[in-house]
């Protein structure tokens, strides 16, 4: 049982790291603000989501894993907000 | 928190030094501030590595978050001010500030060098007296009981900061921009509505659990303060009139509660801030609640000290 969740954690973390890696590459390589935002928000939302899922499997209790879930949800809100603000600022219609 | 220094610690240390460098020697104020915020976040990760989650929470919320917001607000205000850009280069002021920082650093290094043999510090002393402190978390015991005097003075410093910020605002009131008919940003308003209850809830959790786990008045105050700043960004005038009673009472609440508690301990024939063990828990909680309110308001007053004057209506 422990083994199954350990393996799942490793796989989820690898997925998460991949999205962060891809997001960072996108941030550095993409040409303009909107493309970069697209790359960044992918890393923030999906990458962090996979990593949070992986950590939730390792949490010692259900409340602890729910707290990790809450961190992901709050990060989602913040990421969506900053993405909107930056995109609007770029268009110049704030 | 394993013993020894791992690869992660080395990477973290290198990133910390890099962020510090860019924050200090960055070309323009905005970039330097972004690196300052990154520096604060990396520093709080470092505190976690050192097994000090209390300090990490305080650093992340106050050091990185709120100070970052203050700096960004300052930049927005003084963007076109030559002074902000003229500060680099060598002049008399810079040399003076450099000398002061250098002597401070030298003093700290000397003190650290002196105490290098006391590997345990006061941790044994704290552990032995934990039962009488009114808190089961050593950091809270030290901050609010054993070394309550220091925290009292810290609150005095915050009060002075809030007063200074208010005075500067009054002195500058003719230079501050008048609020134009600016429509509050829709996204920020929406997010403020979503995040406000969460921030207040987490501040309450921080405050309540501060007695037995990492957290406490400063972290809770920072979260409440952040909630207020979010409201300010959404163009809601959250700060009561500075001459009102509510404003004055809340601003002074932390220092006042500390003073009242300290006076009562003397009147009871004990030493200053020497809490009776049966009451210690209640007194600590009272002080923490009062300090949380004062800290939250202080942070908002400082943040609002260069905000435009006037009111905006919330969008319908």
């Amino acid at each position: 049982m422990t083994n199954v969740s350990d393996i799942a954690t490793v796989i989820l973390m690898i997925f998460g790291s991949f999205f962060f890696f891809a997001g960072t590459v996108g941030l550095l390589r993409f040409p303009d603000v909107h493309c970069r935002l697209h790359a960044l928000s992918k890393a923030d939302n999906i990458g962090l989501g996979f990593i949070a899922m992986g950590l939730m499997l390792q949490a010692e209790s259900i409340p602890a894993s729910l707290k990790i879930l809450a961190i992901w949800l709050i990060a989602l809100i913040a990421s969506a907000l900053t993405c909107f603000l930056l995109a609007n600022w770029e268009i110049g219609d704030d | 928190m394993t013993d020894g220094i791992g690869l992660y610690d080395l990477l973290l240390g290198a990133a910390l030094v890099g962020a510090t460098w860019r924050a200090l020697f960055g070309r323009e104020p905005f970039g330097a501030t972004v690196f300052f915020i990154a520096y604060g976040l990396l520093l709080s990760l470092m505190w976690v590595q050192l097994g000090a989650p209390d300090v990490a929470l305080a650093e992340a919320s106050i050091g990185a978050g709120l100070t970052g917001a203050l700096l960004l607000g300052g930049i927005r205000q003084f963007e076109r001010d030559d002074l902000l850009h003229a500060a680099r280069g060598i002049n008399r002021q810079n040399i003076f500030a450099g000398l002061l920082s250098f002597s401070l650093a030298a003093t700290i290094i000397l003190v650290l060098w002196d105490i290098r043999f006391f590997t345990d510090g006061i941790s044994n002393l704290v552990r032995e007296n934990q039962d009488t402190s009114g808190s089961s978390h050593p950091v809270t015991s030290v901050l609010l009981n054993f070394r309550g005097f220091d925290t009292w003075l810290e609150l005095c410093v915050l009060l002075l900061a809030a007063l200074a910020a208010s005075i500067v605002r009054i002195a500058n009131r003719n230079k501050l921009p008048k609020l134009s008919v600016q429509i509050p940003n829709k996204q920020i308003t929406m997010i403020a509505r979503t995040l406000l209850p969460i921030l207040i809830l987490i501040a309450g959790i921080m405050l309540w659990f501060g007695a037995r786990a990492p957290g406490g008045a400063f972290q809770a105050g920072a979260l409440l303060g952040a909630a207020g700043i979010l409201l300010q960004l959404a163009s809601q005038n959250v700060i009561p009139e500075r001459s009102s009673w509510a404003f004055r009472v809340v601003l002074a609440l932390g220092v006042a509660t500390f003073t009242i508690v300290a006076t009562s301990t003397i009147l009871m024939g004990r030493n200053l801030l020497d809490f009776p063990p049966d009451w210690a828990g209640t007194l600590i909680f009272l002080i923490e609640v009062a300090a949380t309110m004062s800290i939250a308001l202080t942070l908002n007053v400082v943040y609002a000290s260069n905000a435009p004057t006037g009111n905006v209506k919330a969008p319908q």
Side-chain angles (χ1 to χ4, degrees):
Chain A
M1 186 62 198
T2 319
N3 266 335
V4 175
S5 68
D6 280 356
I7 292 168
T9 297
V10 170
I11 294 174
L12 287 169
M13 298 294 251
I14 289 174
F15 271 137
S17 314
F18 170 75
F19 273 99
F20 268 107
F21 179 74
T24 311
V25 172
L27 178 68
L28 294 174
R29 303 281 301 170
F30 279 163
D32 65 34
V33 171
H34 294 107
C35 296
R36 288 178 176 177
L37 277 176
H38 161 78
L40 253 194
S41 45
K42 286 293 163 296
D44 262 8
N45 300 347
I46 305 179
L48 188 65
F50 274 123
I51 286 180
M53 267 197 278
L55 291 178
M56 281 171 73
L57 291 176
Q58 299 296 315
E60 60 229 17
S61 61
I62 292 183
S65 67
L66 287 181
K67 277 182 203 163
I68 298 176
L69 181 69
I71 291 174
W72 179 52
L73 291 178
I74 294 174
L76 272 186
I77 299 176
S79 150
L81 169 69
T82 40
C83 185
F84 260 103
L85 290 178
L86 282 172
N88 277 349
W89 168 80
E90 173 67 8
I91 298 172
D93 134 76
D94 52 342
Chain B
M1 243 190 306
T2 47
D3 289 335
I5 297 175
L7 180 65
Y8 174 66
D9 302 290
L10 289 177
L11 285 176
L12 198 56
L16 193 62
V17 173
T20 315
W21 185 265
R22 294 296 299 269
L24 284 175
F25 303 108
R27 278 208 181 281
E28 33 101 40
F30 179 77
T33 306
V34 170
F35 275 100
F36 174 80
I37 296 171
Y39 155 83
L41 291 175
L42 291 167
L43 189 60
S44 69
L45 285 179
M46 198 69 124
W47 283 118
V48 172
Q49 280 300 98
L50 292 170
D54 287 87
V55 192
L57 280 172
E59 174 61 39
S61 54
I62 302 182
L66 282 164
T67 317
L70 284 179
L71 288 174
L72 288 176
I75 290 173
R76 192 180 51 188
Q77 187 68 39
F78 298 105
E79 224 159 19
R80 283 175 209 89
D81 198 322
D82 293 336
L83 212 63
L84 192 69
H85 302 275
R88 58 189 58 258
I90 297 175
N91 57 39
R92 204 177 296 159
Q93 270 180 338
N94 285 0
I95 294 175
F96 184 62
L99 280 179
L100 278 184
S101 322
F102 183 75
S103 11
L104 181 66
T107 315
I108 292 173
I109 289 170
L110 276 181
V111 170
L112 285 178
W113 185 252
D114 258 4
I115 62 172
R116 69 191 185 283
F117 298 118
F118 300 98
T119 44
D120 282 344
I122 57 165
S123 54
N124 280 331
L125 210 57
V126 172
R127 218 168 291 133
E128 281 161 23
N129 294 292
Q130 186 86 65
D131 296 338
T132 61
S133 73
S135 159
S136 57
H137 185 55
V139 176
T140 311
S141 311
V142 171
L143 279 183
L144 286 147
N145 195 337
F146 304 145
R147 297 295 307 172
F149 194 68
D150 296 352
T151 310
W152 189 8
L153 288 182
E154 275 173 23
L155 289 175
C156 292
V157 170
L158 279 180
L159 181 59
L160 279 179
L163 291 179
S166 299
I167 292 169
V168 169
R169 183 175 170 82
I170 292 170
N172 279 347
R173 65 179 176 281
N174 292 329
K175 281 191 246 160
L176 290 172
K178 289 273 175 296
L179 204 56
S180 49
V181 192
Q182 171 198 14
I183 300 154
N185 186 297
K186 270 180 291 197
Q187 280 96 25
I188 295 186
T189 311
M190 199 187 75
I191 235 69
R193 283 184 185 141
T194 319
L195 282 183
L196 213 59
I198 302 177
L199 280 170
I200 294 172
L201 180 72
I202 300 178
I205 292 174
M206 283 275 172
L207 181 60
W208 183 249
F209 282 89
R212 51 211 138 98
F218 278 88
Q219 290 85 351
L223 283 169
L224 267 192
I229 289 177
L230 204 55
L231 274 181
Q232 288 191 38
L233 285 174
S235 299
Q236 304 276 340
N237 202 345
V238 279
I239 302 185
E241 203 51 49
R242 281 173 177 71
S243 54
S244 71
W245 272 102
F247 179 81
R248 292 179 179 178
V249 166
V250 175
L251 201 59
L253 203 58
V255 177
T257 311
F258 241 119
T259 312
I260 292 170
V261 170
T263 320
S264 343
T265 51
I266 290 182
L267 289 179
M268 283 191 296
R270 308 175 70 92
N271 284 326
L272 183 77
L273 287 177
D274 173 15
F275 302 156
D278 295 342
W279 280 84
T282 317
L283 291 177
I284 287 179
F285 185 66
L286 267 182
I287 293 175
E288 292 220 88
V289 172
T292 302
M293 312 269 280
S294 293
I295 291 168
L297 184 60
T298 301
L299 294 170
N300 273 277
V301 168
V302 175
Y303 185 78
S305 61
N306 58 12
T309 51
N311 271 322
V312 208
K313 286 246 157 58
Q316 298 307 309

